Amino acid sequence: MLIGREDETATLRAVLDRVRAGGSEVVVVSGEPGIGKTALLQELRSAATGVRVLATTGVEGESDIPYAHLADVFRGAHDDIAALPERQAAALASAFAFGPSVPADRFVISVAVLTLLSAVAARGPLLLVVDDLQWVDRASREALLFVAHRLQAEPVGMVLAVRPRAEVVARLDRFRRIELRGLAPADARRMVEQVRDVRGRADTEALVVGSGGNPLALLELPLARRGRTGLLRRRGTPMPLTATLETLFSDTAHELPGRTRDALLLLAVLGPVPDAVLRLALLGHGLAPEDLDEAVRAGLVVHELGRPDFRHPLVRSAVYQSSASERRRSAHLVAARALDGAAVPNAEERRAWHLVWAGASADEDLAARLESTGDAQLLAADFTSTGHLFQLSALLSDDDATRAGRLVKAAHATRLAGEIDECRSLMVQASGLASDPATVLFLQYLICRLDLWAGDRLQSRDRLLELVRTHEAAGVVLDPYMHSDVALGSVEIGDFSVADDLSAAAVERAVAGGGPVPLGIAVVRAMVRAFLGDPGATVSLEARAGELDVVDPVTTDRDEQVLLLAGVAHLAAEDVERAGTLLQRAVVTARTHGAVGMLPFRLGRLSAFEFWVGDWGMSAAHSHEALTLAGDTGWRGERLHSLLACARTEALTGAAQRCRGHLDEALALAEVERSSAYLATAYAGLASLELASQEVAAAAAAGRRVEDFSRRSGMVDNPLVWWTGDLVEALVADGQVEEAAELVRGRAEVPSARPVLRAVLARCRALVQPDRFLEHVDEAHRWHARARMPYERARTDLVLGRMLRRQRSAGAREPLARALRTFEQLGALPWAEQARSELRASGVRLAAPTRGLSELTPQELQVTLAVARGLSNKEVAGQLFLSVKTIEYHLGKAYLKLGVARRGQLAALLATQAPWVEPAAGHQGP
Ligand SMILES: Nc1ncnc2c1ncn2[C@@H]1O[C@H](COP(=O)(O)OP(=O)(O)OP(=O)(O)O)[C@@H](O)[C@H]1O
Ligand SMILES: [Mg+2]
């Protein structure tokens, strides 16, 4: 029976009610050891009538066996697993070690777990209870968190208990939290009264104070009170609890016979293993299972499901921590031996861990086996556990150079898995081991390159530049990719002059080295030149389109960024269709490989393309996904880009508040990172936001900041940073016509391959030269006709319509109506409003605006558009890492908002509101 804890119990019962009513909720219970988390969870479980409970408990020291705990959760659900889509079923069967081993990345597995949970929940409400989350193996933990973030429409409650100082706690911020503290003194006293040994009031009070109300301490301290009352009586400050309790537990253990203590230590070292393995280990140590009996009598060990286990995790750590390191090492060695060839999941890997903990000297044989298992897995893209294999292999290597090489492999795999901090620390370790100067240099280079996107951009760029300069000065022949990466880093911070020099140097060095210029170098060069407005920027890439089409953008290190950067180069050159093809392929391949570490970059740029061609729903959805994934993976630098990508559509779709929030954060980040390019992009976003809400002075101020940057850096307007049209219009509206005219006159000739920029500049000329207005607008329209950029075309229509309306010309209505239609289709609410009021002023009576796509949340839109493209709910679920139930949920809400009831109606609606969406062949069903 629980003492106290009324509020906490009520909260958890409310979770049960919610789940019974078909909703989902995630709650975190945190608190120090012994505070009563497990007891509270038990209370919850016993109250869960009518709710199916799945549960697992983390085990200290076992957190490196991938998916052990998920396998535990779903041990009774093998039939449900078999009913999943084939790839997911195979992935889970393999991860849970009851089916043949197939490679699968953590993303595939996480999605499969989500599908599985929602399948199980389809039969009735479900409660998932995870105790000691801090010791749940990392792979399971990742999958559980992935699922927790995506539960929406299924009747699933998730309650996670965790110790507060665990690393994982930082990642649970988004969930409701129950913070358990010590029991109230009255409750603590009640509890003490239930413990036999305590008689006098002084003892009781000493306990209440000394325990800080910790129930475990209340229960355990008196049991070993002999001679320790002095400690207990030290009033005022709570005792250093964990240490005290551990000492208590180990004291009990120390009184046991030597053989029992040895057996206990082995049990602590092994963790949960099949009985046969435990027996083998005991025998290997000259012990027998009966040697644990004394520990059972002493209450340290209980038999759970027929096999011995510690009564409390503290006992286990106490036994382990209090053993001399020599004894610990030999226990690990025995465990390793017992696991040799054992029928336990990941036996070889577990064995390797034990060897490492045993401080075993190198075992090159095992190390090499682990490495080749890793190599094989990497090719098949199983990144997280591959990283662990390489790490183990490195630890067991017998010379530093080999070890460094394996650490680099581990780093590569963890980066692909999207664990950037881990990746960096592995590379630092490797560089500490390498002795040959070329390797040292290469590793320094890799670290700088990582930091360009995960750390301080300016500093990393400078370090990389320094590396190149000093080594070249010393006559070292460098890999031209280094120059190219300096160029790339320089683009990131907006230093186009270094970017130009170094990207040219990279090409030069590559040519000097003989053979063709590597694609990776060519794309960076093209990108830099495109930002600088060079009309021939992408000529070299066009010649190599065939090569680009066959690049593997995931598993080969050097080619990994090629598609992305080529996409950006084409985008910057306004070669939009080609950019779209490349970026789409980059995203699709990353998704199918589950290479989540690459997705944020690719989604962010794809969203720029989608914005440009008028697919704003997708653009918003993808930029938001990029933002989430940048956070999930630790690519801190990419958060900045994702924020700006989100702001791009938000500025124009009436999400002003969200937009301002994103821009404020981006401005602050760009300031901290001293990245003038991102600062300029943020100001361009701000200008677009202010102009949309007709704050022309503010728009002009923001636009001027971008213009300044462009003057200093040489960057010209491009689909990624786009401001001149907004700035000129804001200046003119603000009465600064001369400044606007000056700016337009100062613009260099723009090549005809940039039709949208030419159109916008022609429109700008119309604004500053009213006497030649129509002539310039005509020219603008001629350029618009050559390109697919609906938004800017509508802006030109609006400018034309507004001017004609002021001249009281009947011709105003046509361009205004055209502008309105396009703005509405795009969801450009503030602009549609401007067009609407111009139309009204010209005497047109307008119906209320139609309900449209702009009312949908990014996720509803993403789902709606995917469905409209003809994908089944199941297919959409797979692509967006959501459950089918959640897809149905979003779709339902979208139907309501759009006022449609069937897929067919949805398609018809989209045909008018989002004509860019390719309709599906033959819509069927609701
Ligand atoms: N409110 C309570 N009333 C009665 N007994 C309690 C209460 N809370 C905890 N206990 C008892 O105190 C002991 C420690 O609690 P519990 O095991 O739940 O702690 P915990 O927070 O799970 O600790 P750990 O982090 O070490 O797992 C258990 O024996 C439990 O039954
Ligand atoms: Mg517990």
Side-chain angles (χ1 to χ4, degrees), residues 778-789:
D778 274 351
E779 188 195 342
H781 270 126
R782 276 199 302 281
W783 288 112
H784 279 311
R786 293 204 195 181
R788 176 158 72 122
M789 207 303 183

Side-chain angles (χ1 to χ4, degrees), residues 2-3 5 33-39 132 163 191 215-216 219 312:
L2 270 194
I3 296 173
R5 304 292 190 220
I35 201 68
K37 300 181 292 296
T38 304
D132 290 326
R163 289 196 178 167
M191 192 153 168
L216 181 68
L219 290 174
H312 193 280

Side-chain angles (χ1 to χ4, degrees), residues 34-87:
I35 201 68
K37 300 181 292 296
T38 304
L40 192 64
L41 295 190
Q42 251 149 16
E43 175 78 11
L44 169 72
R45 294 176 66 162
S46 63
T49 40
V51 176
R52 177 163 173 199
V53 180
L54 299 179
T56 189
T57 300
V59 181
E60 191 173 12
E62 285 301 321
S63 43
D64 285 302
I65 301 160
Y67 300 111
H69 287 94
L70 271 183
D72 189 32
V73 170
F74 292 110
R75 60 190 176 272
H78 290 194
D79 289 347
D80 289 302
I81 294 177
L84 294 178
E86 198 178 330
R87 182 157 177 237

